Amino acid sequence: MKIVAVSHPIPTEYAERIYDDGKTVFVGKSYLGKVSSGDKFIIYESHGAKAYTGWADIVSIGKQKTSTITRKYGNKLMITKEEFQEYAKSRPEMNVIEFENFQKFNKPVVPKRFVAVSGKYIYEDEFRTIVNNMD
């Protein structure tokens, strides 16, 4: 089964920054590197909906030095500089997913199992389920 997307849990208040403010960079502690440019980044709202609520095309994904992330992405980050400093405390590197073409689903798609803090790969079968239920 082929991996076609990756999902990470995002608290609703941060997800809304993607929906409403056009933020295009996710930063996380865990790195799921078996996806690449052109694959999908699927938003899983970890509070509120507890469902997949939208997706975007991955521009780039990879570990980056914590010290350069806010300088490089600035206002594109879905968390503020202060939130980032707290979240990234004592970590030399963080996972960064830059994405584009975000599309919010008409209705949330609840997964069979919740998405763990570490995130998860989305395989073709689950991807088809999402596609069939997002309208």
Side-chain angles (χ1 to χ4, degrees), residues 86-98:
E86 183 64 31
Y87 183 57
K89 240 185 205 144
S90 73
R91 289 187 168 269
E93 292 183 325
M94 299 286 285
N95 176 38
V96 176
I97 301 175
E98 188 175 5

Side-chain angles (χ1 to χ4, degrees), residues 15 17 19 21 35 41 55 78 82 96 99 101 112 114:
R17 294 175 187 171
Y19 313 151
D21 302 334
V35 291
F41 172 52
W55 64 15
M78 56 176 246
E82 294 73 27
V96 176
F99 55 89
N101 304 323
K112 289 185 177 103
F114 79 102

Side-chain angles (χ1 to χ4, degrees), residues 19 27 42 110 135:
Y19 313 151
V27 179
I42 301 178
V110 179
D135 291 330

